Amino acid sequence: MRILWGPAYELGILVIDQQHKRIVDYINELDRLADQPDAQLGVARVLYDLVDYTESHFSFEEALMERAGYGELDDHHHKHRQFTFHIESLLRRHEQGDTVTDELLRLLEGWLLHHILEEDGAYADEVRDFINSIGRERLGGWVNETVRKHFRVM
Ligand SMILES: [Fe+2]
């Protein structure tokens, strides 16, 4: 296991932390695949999952930021788009026969340390305050409904 998920990576917003943990799962899966003979197949699966996951997670995260009235949403959305483009370009290169495992690992680790901890960390206080102000119970229904809307599988 390359990275052990723990409190150091949590923003204190349970539904978001559960989604972010998936990035660590993908990192560990890629690390496990690195010296396997059929790595290319596994890497393809991770890339396809990532395309699906990022689309679902980003739209959920952005819906939550919007609901909380977070002011930097446009800028944050732009960062999500850039990451999505990067994943899609790695997928295309993989499909053309390139080995992109190391590059993908570096991208995901950089995303965990820079985007999740810093850029997502920047909205965490405001979103947590919002959740506390309206009450977890009242937000619960919205969260469940929005997760269902954005995620095909959770
Ligand atoms: Fe984000």
Side-chain angles (χ1 to χ4, degrees), residues 20 57-58 61 65 76 80 111 115-116 119-120 123:
H20 283 165
H57 166 62
F58 291 162
E61 196 178 68
M65 282 190 271
H76 203 109
H80 285 170
W111 187 254
H115 184 77
I116 292 180
E119 291 167 350
D120 287 343
Y123 75 65

Side-chain angles (χ1 to χ4, degrees), residues 3 5-6 9-27 50 53 57-58 60-61 64-65 76 80 108 111-112 115-121 123-124 151 154:
I3 294 183
W5 177 266
Y9 299 114
E10 289 175 1
L11 301 183
I13 303 165
L14 185 64
V15 64
I16 292 289
D17 291 331
Q18 285 170 337
Q19 292 172 17
H20 283 165
K21 185 176 176 298
R22 293 266 291 272
I23 290 286
V24 167
D25 294 339
Y26 291 132
I27 290 170
L50 269 168
Y53 161 81
H57 166 62
F58 291 162
F60 176 83
E61 196 178 68
L64 183 58
M65 282 190 271
H76 203 109
H80 285 170
L108 295 182
W111 187 254
L112 175 68
H115 184 77
I116 292 180
L117 289 183
E118 292 176 23
E119 291 167 350
D120 287 343
Y123 75 65
F151 283 84
M154 261 301 277

Side-chain angles (χ1 to χ4, degrees), residues 23 26-27 46-47 49-55 57-58 61-62 75-91 103-116 119:
I23 290 286
Y26 291 132
I27 290 170
V46 170
L47 279 163
D49 281 358
L50 269 168
V51 169
D52 193 54
Y53 161 81
T54 47
E55 194 186 309
H57 166 62
F58 291 162
E61 196 178 68
E62 288 171 24
D75 188 44
H76 203 109
H77 173 71
H78 182 67
K79 285 163 180 148
H80 285 170
R81 295 289 298 153
Q82 283 179 316
F83 182 78
T84 303
F85 288 143
H86 203 153
I87 293 287
E88 286 169 353
S89 85
L90 288 178
L91 176 59
E103 203 175 329
L104 180 57
L105 259 173
R106 280 198 303 276
L107 176 67
L108 295 182
E109 286 185 329
W111 187 254
L112 175 68
L113 296 176
H114 179 64
H115 184 77
I116 292 180
E119 291 167 350

